[in-house]
Structures are given as C-alpha cells and as structure tokens.
Amino acid sequence: MNAYSGNAKLKAVLLILLLLVCCLPLFLHLGASPIYMWDEATYANNALDMFLTNDLIVVRMEGIPDLYNTKPPFVLWMQTLSLHLFGWNEFAIRLPSAHFATCTLLLMLWFGRTVLNSTFISVVSMLVLVCANGYVNIHVTRSGDLDAVLVFWMTFYVLIYLKYLLKSGNAALHFFFIAAGLTGAFLSKGIAGWFFLPFMVLIAIVHGSFFKLLRQKELYIAVFAVLTFSGGYYYLRELMAPGYLNVVYASEISRFGEEVMSWHVQPFYFYFQNMINGRFMPFLFLLPFTWLVLLRQKEKMIRTSFIMFWILAAGYFMLISYPADKLEWYDAPLYPLLSIIIAIFVDALIKKIKAIPIIASNRLIKNVAGFLIVLALLAPPYYQTILRVAKKDEITHTWAPEQIDEFRINGAFMKHLKEQKPLIRSYSVFTVPPEHAEHYDQIKFYQRSLEHNDNISIRIKNQQQELQAGEYIAVCDQKLKDTINANWTVSIQEKWKNCVLYELKSRKDPVIQPALLNQ
C-alpha cells in the first residue's frame, strides 16, 4: 500500500512538473513587449473603458460605443478583472490569454486520461501544442487578443461532446457543459465560436448517434439556452448602441461570400502554406503518417477518437479556407485537435517499436525507448519556442525584422521614457495625423495607463502650430524630427532607436528656417 502510494505521488509530481514545462512558454516574459497593433491595442483600450465605466455590455473607446470592435465582451470581462488585480499594464491585458491556454492544456490532460485512458497521449499532446508556433504566438496565447480564450471554449465543448458520444454518461450534465462552452465561445468571438458545429453533426452521423441525439430532450434545452444567451446579448447591445447589428453583419457574416477587406484577401491554400512556413513545424510532416493508426490500432476507443478528431480538423480547415478574407491566426482552434492526433500517432509508434523483439527483450531499452523518441521529436521545437518567447522585442515588423514598426514605436518609446526618464512628468507625442482613429490605439493605451499609474501627463499632437516653447516633445518619425530641427532650437533629452525626446527652447526665424511640414 505504501509502495503504491509512493508511486502515485511520484507520478503526480512528474505530471505537475510537465505541466509547468508546458506553461513556461505561455507565461515567460508575457508582459515584456509593448502592446501590439492592431487588435491587442484596441481590446486594451476597450478594457480600460470597461474598468472605468463598469459597463459590461457595450464595448467603448474613450467613453464612446465602439463599433470597430464588434465582438462580444467575455475576453474584455476577463481583462477588466485582470486590470483590477494587477494594474494597468501589458501583463494584465495578456494574462487571460495565458490563463485560458493553461486551461486548454488541462482539458487535453483530462480527455486523454478519462476518455483515451492514456496519460502519455495527454502529455505528448500538451507538449506538441506548446511547441506549435501558430498557437504560442501573438494574436493567440502571447497577446491580449480573443483567440486563446476562443480556442479554450471551442476545445471545451468539442471534447465534452466527444466524451458523451464515446462513453455516454449523464446527458443533462454533458449538454449543460456543451451549452456553456458554445455560449462562452460566442461571447468570446461571436459566431466564429460555433464553427465546429457542422462537423460535430457529421461526426454523429458517422458514429451512428445522430438519431439518438435527436431524441435527447437535453439537446433542445441546450440549443434554446445557447440561442437565448447569445441572441440576448445581440439584442441588448443593439438596444444600447443602435447600429451594432448592421456592423456585425457587414464585418462578420458577409465575409463568407464577399471581400470585406481587400488587404486580407488570400488564396485557398493560405493556412496550409503558413503551417509549412513554421506555424506547425515539424509536426505537419507527421500528419499524413498518422493514418497508419487506423491500420494498426487495435483499441476501438483510440481509433474512433482519431477519426473524429480528423473530421473536426479537416472540416474546420476547409471552412476557414473558403472565404476570400483570411488572417493567419484564424487557424488557432486547429492546434489542440492536431496536437492530439500527433500524440495518438506517437503513442502507437512507440508501442510498435517497443514490440520489436530485440527491444521487448531488454527491459531497460524498452523503458527508455519511448522517452528518447519523445525527446528527439519535441526537445528541438520546444527549445526554439523558449528562445522565441524570451527574445527581446526589437519593435520591428514580423515580415521585415530590420524595419522598425512605425505603428508600435511611439508607444514603446513612451514605455521607455517612463523607465529611463521618471522625472519628466509631462510631454507631448508628436506624430503624423492618423488615417484611421484606431491607428492611435497603442499610443492611447500608454497615454491613459501612464496617467493612471504614474500621474504622467501626455498629450498627442500632429500639427506644428500646437507645439510650444518649453515643452518636451517625443518624436519617432524622421520627417517630423526634421521639421522640429528646422524650426526649433532644441535640447535632446533622450534618444532610443529612431525616437528622440526634445525640449523645445525657442522657434527659429521662419524666414531663415522655413518649416518643412504643416505650413
């Protein structure tokens, strides 16, 4: 009894250590990078407004109903709670993403142990997921966007659904959780949270459970509850911010049949190409071979689950590939499913290798073989993931690492000034006039958070006539720096990357030094 208890405790400790290893890429340096453009900056400001107004229904930007962000507010609720707990900073904005990514890992651990009866499959699937660049990256787990939370809820209702089909159980309890998952997914990102539903129906047909489900009264109660909560939110927000539903239709529903944003138009193979280019490497190469599981797998539960995961993954992949408008992070819900598929294959492969007579006859080699295979497969991508998330953010474009990201550099400079020039309590950010209001979202976040946290007064100016002698001016645009130097006698207080903090002394003679801009 004591030996069994000790063995169980050792396994529990190892499992906790493995979970910590999986969580490291999610939390390491989470708040280090300045707020990202575009979406994170928008959601961050929306969360600040929710913090200030306590309005949990209407999403606002500086007090005004925001029709740029049409998504329901569940993630904003979580971010607002995080702001109350951890203050107005980047970590608080991103914590919900990392937290719900951790919950996704726990879901996979639960499913592997309770449905597939394999802790090994659980652990491998978790490790594969955190090694997937398409998952542990900005716009998903590494930023304050909606997708990590969305992925949790979608994975939640799918795994509960598969468990019910495979192992039955209390129908009322299962459908309650499925309804909760569907509602959570909708409240995280609208109807995108329901994209697995058509393929869940297909799974029921293939599994032979379709008509059985139709006879379940709990199904209809769940459908009614989901539509009531989701429709109720749409109704309330339209009531409180008229015109909301028209914007939702234009930005979310119409994109399936027409181009909404021409700069987002991509070819059908866009998501597959991204996976080849690094979002699911090297695991993508293993996916075709996973079908060998069907030929050699004797355990019916594993074989059936494998087919179900493939139906969900292939169906979702085709669904998001159809619209002309595509964004690279829309494939995020695929990665937990693909990770479980890879883990099932690795488990089957190791079992076959261990069954080779020369290995099976040597207990030491048999015990070590599985560990070495997993280490060889997962250690290199895990190491690369750690290096990537720990790497210093140079505020450059992802597609052009040598080019400064002009949309983030101003906010990054404001963060730098707070750390390096704490005695300067008031200055202006001199920047070009925005083409769209959301171009200022990152600057606004730092303007608002620095005022709230440190009582630093920051103004945003984009006309030379607004500048005054004696004030400090933060400038990152080269043309604007040329304008300052041509028209003002200045004292340079700080230089960082391509940004400068000037103290304006006096205007130069406009006849001798004509203005270069805004004259």
Side-chain angles (χ1 to χ4, degrees):
M1 185 68 177
N2 289 336
Y4 175 81
S5 177
N7 189 42
K9 288 181 179 178
L10 177 62
K11 288 182 178 180
V13 169
L14 289 175
L15 201 56
I16 291 172
L17 289 175
L18 282 168
L19 184 60
L20 292 176
V21 168
C22 290
C23 289
L24 181 61
L26 304 179
F27 289 91
L28 182 64
H29 292 180
L30 185 63
S33 292
I35 291 292
Y36 294 103
M37 292 288 283
W38 305 89
D39 295 346
E40 184 182 46
T42 298
Y43 303 142
N45 280 287
N46 294 153
L48 297 186
D49 269 76
M50 189 170 286
F51 180 101
L52 294 170
T53 65
N54 294 318
D55 186 346
L56 299 180
I57 302 298
V58 178
V59 174
R60 299 178 183 275
M61 176 68 75
E62 296 186 299
I64 301 172
D66 185 10
L67 293 181
Y68 176 74
N69 175 17
T70 61
K71 302 299 188 290
F74 181 83
V75 176
L76 297 182
W77 296 343
M78 299 298 102
Q79 290 176 330
T80 302
L81 176 60
S82 185
L83 292 171
H84 279 286
L85 294 175
F86 299 100
W88 289 23
N89 54 61
E90 298 90 345
F91 176 80
I93 292 297
R94 294 169 185 157
L95 181 60
S97 294
H99 169 75
F100 278 90
T102 302
C103 292
T104 302
L105 295 176
L106 294 174
L107 272 176
M108 296 165 71
L109 176 64
W110 165 81
F111 186 85
R113 287 168 63 89
T114 59
V115 179
L116 303 181
N117 299 315
S118 173
T119 301
F120 180 81
I121 290 177
S122 297
V123 170
V124 173
S125 66
M126 292 158 59
L127 288 169
V128 170
L129 183 60
V130 298
C131 291
N133 288 348
Y135 183 70
V136 181
N137 213 324
I138 61 171
H139 276 296
V140 191
T141 70
R142 297 290 302 178
S143 59
D145 290 272
L146 312 179
D147 297 86
V149 181
L150 173 72
V151 170
F152 164 77
W153 285 118
M154 294 180 74
T155 307
F156 179 83
Y157 71 70
V158 159
L159 295 186
I160 296 293
Y161 176 75
L162 295 187
K163 177 183 179 296
Y164 180 69
L165 292 184
L166 293 166
K167 303 194 80 169
S168 295
N170 187 315
L173 186 63
H174 283 81
F175 278 105
F176 170 80
F177 284 125
I178 292 169
L182 285 165
T183 303
F186 171 82
L187 290 176
S188 298
K189 206 173 180 180
I191 61 171
W194 297 346
F195 280 6
F196 280 138
L197 284 177
F199 315 109
M200 291 166 65
V201 174
L202 179 58
I203 284 173
I205 294 172
V206 172
H207 186 252
S209 304
F210 181 69
F211 291 107
K212 176 185 175 182
L213 289 177
L214 290 181
R215 292 193 293 269
Q216 296 280 1
K217 65 178 181 181
E218 292 84 358
L219 169 66
Y220 301 100
I221 295 172
V223 170
F224 176 78
V226 171
L227 293 179
T228 298
F229 279 107
S230 304
Y233 172 76
Y234 273 158
Y235 173 77
L236 279 176
R237 189 159 171 185
E238 173 67 22
L239 196 66
M240 300 172 72
Y244 168 71
L245 289 180
N246 289 333
V247 179
V248 168
Y249 177 82
S251 63
E252 296 186 29
I253 299 174
S254 64
R255 70 169 56 238
F256 281 94
E258 57 190 72
E259 297 178 8
V260 176
M261 300 178 181
S262 59
W263 56 94
H264 290 165
V265 173
Q266 301 290 348
F268 181 84
Y269 54 83
F270 175 71
Y271 295 107
F272 181 72
Q273 186 178 52
N274 285 347
M275 289 184 181
I276 291 177
N277 291 338
R279 287 179 69 79
F280 199 55
M281 296 297 288
F283 312 111
L284 184 66
F285 291 138
L286 293 179
L287 283 177
F289 298 100
T290 61
W291 286 97
L292 295 173
V293 170
L294 289 182
L295 301 177
R296 311 295 294 182
Q297 182 58 247
K298 296 179 180 179
E299 297 180 39
K300 183 179 179 181
M301 184 70 69
I302 300 284
R303 189 169 63 249
T304 305
S305 300
F306 175 84
I307 294 172
M308 290 178 172
F309 282 119
W310 260 113
I311 291 174
L312 287 164
Y316 182 86
F317 181 85
M318 297 296 287
L319 180 62
I320 62 173
S321 296
Y322 171 75
D325 285 11
K326 298 179 181 69
L327 291 169
E328 62 181 30
W329 54 91
Y330 286 1
D331 66 358
L334 282 170
Y335 293 110
L337 306 182
L338 296 179
S339 298
I340 294 173
I341 289 172
I342 293 292
I344 290 174
F345 170 71
V346 171
D347 178 61
L349 177 64
I350 289 175
K351 285 178 179 176
K352 291 300 176 186
I353 291 174
K354 286 183 176 181
I356 297 173
I358 192 172
I359 295 177
S361 61
N362 189 311
R363 184 176 179 182
L364 177 62
I365 296 177
K366 182 179 179 181
N367 290 335
V368 172
F371 172 77
L372 293 178
I373 291 172
V374 172
L375 189 67
L377 175 66
L378 294 173
Y382 182 84
Y383 176 69
Q384 291 300 318
T385 298
I386 293 296
L387 288 181
R388 181 168 51 82
V389 300
K391 184 180 178 181
K392 183 179 179 182
D393 186 354
E394 298 295 343
I395 326 297
T396 57
H397 290 294
T398 54
W399 62 88
E402 73 289 345
Q403 181 181 343
I404 290 291
D405 184 347
E406 66 276 12
F407 289 110
R408 283 207 303 143
I409 191 64
N410 283 287
F413 189 39
M414 295 163 75
K415 182 178 181 179
H416 172 85
L417 290 176
K418 187 259 181 181
E419 297 167 353
Q420 300 300 321
K421 293 291 181 179
L423 297 181
I424 294 180
R425 315 301 296 172
S426 176
Y427 63 89
S428 297
V429 176
F430 189 36
T431 184
V432 294
E435 293 182 26
H436 305 284
E438 58 271 15
H439 288 190
Y440 271 178
D441 284 353
Q442 194 223 28
I443 298 176
K444 286 180 180 178
F445 172 80
Y446 285 104
Q447 179 191 35
R448 301 171 76 185
S449 62
L450 290 172
E451 181 177 0
H452 179 270
N453 294 334
D454 304 284
N455 199 30
I456 299 175
S457 175
I458 302 172
R459 297 160 299 281
I460 302 173
K461 296 182 178 181
N462 50 46
Q463 298 295 328
Q464 190 184 161
Q465 301 91 298
E466 300 177 86
L467 304 183
Q468 298 177 356
E471 70 174 326
Y472 294 102
I473 302 293
V475 189
C476 296
D477 182 271
Q478 186 58 50
K479 290 183 178 180
L480 296 183
K481 286 187 289 185
D482 292 341
T483 297
I484 293 288
N485 289 317
N487 289 275
W488 290 88
T489 301
V490 300
S491 171
I492 296 177
Q493 300 295 311
E494 180 73 0
K495 281 187 174 182
W496 181 75
K497 295 189 180 294
N498 62 343
C499 300
V500 181
L501 179 69
Y502 296 106
E503 182 182 4
L504 301 184
K505 297 295 188 179
S506 61
R507 284 187 181 271
K508 294 180 180 179
D509 188 336
V511 176
I512 299 174
Q513 297 287 345
L516 300 181
L517 193 67
N518 294 328
Q519 292 291 314

